[in-house]
Amino acid sequence: MVEPLSNTDNSKVHLILGAAMKRFGYYGLAKTTMAEIASDVGLSKASLYYYFADKDALFRAVVKREQDGFFANVKDQVIESEGAAGEKLEMYVEKRHAYFLNAFGNLGKIKMTMETIKPMLGDLLNNFFRSEVAVVAEILQEGINNNEFRDIDVSEYADLFISSMNGLRSITIKDKNSYQLGQDDLDLIGKRIKVFSEIFITGILNNR
C-alpha cells in the first residue's frame, strides 16, 4: 500500500515540479539533470529520487500537473459557467486550442520529437483523450436536457468530436515536430478546428 504524501511532501513536490518545468523549458529535457533540479529546490540528488524515480518520471509528472490544471480550469470556467451548451462547447474548443499552443511551445523549447513523446507520454495522452471525451459528453448531455441539441448518442458524438479535432491537428502538422511549427501552422490549426466545431454544433441543434 502506497502511503499518502504529507503536507510537507506535497509542498516539496510542488516546488520540484515548478523547478523542473523551468529547467525543461529553458535547457531542454536532454540537457537537464536531476542534480540541477535538486539544487534548484535545495535538496540533495538522493532526496529528489525519493519523490521521482528518474528524470522521465519527473517529466511525466510535470505534464500531468499541466493536464490536471487544464481540466480544473475547464470545470470552473466552462462546465460550471452560465450560458447555452453550444456556447460552452465553443469555449472548450478555444481553451483547448490555447492549451495546445502552450504545449507545443513548451515542447518546441524542449526539442522533443513525436517519436519521443508517444512512448514517454502514451498513457497520459490516452487519459487526456478520455477526459476530453468525458467533458464534451457532459456538455452534449446538458444540451440535450435543455432541448438545445437533438437526442444523440453523447458518448459516440463526443468521441467523434475530439477524434476529429485531433485528426485536423495531425493533418495540419503532418510530419513536422513541435519545434518546426510556424505561426502559419498554428493559425491554420485554430481556423480548421473552429470551422469544424461550428459545423458540428449546427448539425446537432434541435430545430424542431
Side-chain angles (χ1 to χ4, degrees), residues 17 52 56-66 124:
L17 293 178
F52 298 98
D56 287 355
L58 178 51
F59 181 72
R60 286 193 295 271
V62 168
V63 174
K64 177 67 164 54
R65 187 176 73 160
E66 291 297 294
L124 291 178

Side-chain angles (χ1 to χ4, degrees), residues 23-73:
R23 282 277 175 183
F24 292 146
Y26 191 82
Y27 296 103
L29 184 63
K31 293 183 179 179
T32 296
T33 68
M34 293 288 275
E36 290 168 337
I37 295 171
S39 177
D40 288 343
V41 294
L43 292 175
S44 66
K45 185 177 177 181
S47 296
L48 182 57
Y49 280 111
Y50 166 78
Y51 296 100
F52 298 98
D54 52 37
K55 187 167 63 173
D56 287 355
L58 178 51
F59 181 72
R60 286 193 295 271
V62 168
V63 174
K64 177 67 164 54
R65 187 176 73 160
E66 291 297 294
Q67 291 180 340
D68 290 345
F70 169 73
F71 285 113
N73 180 272

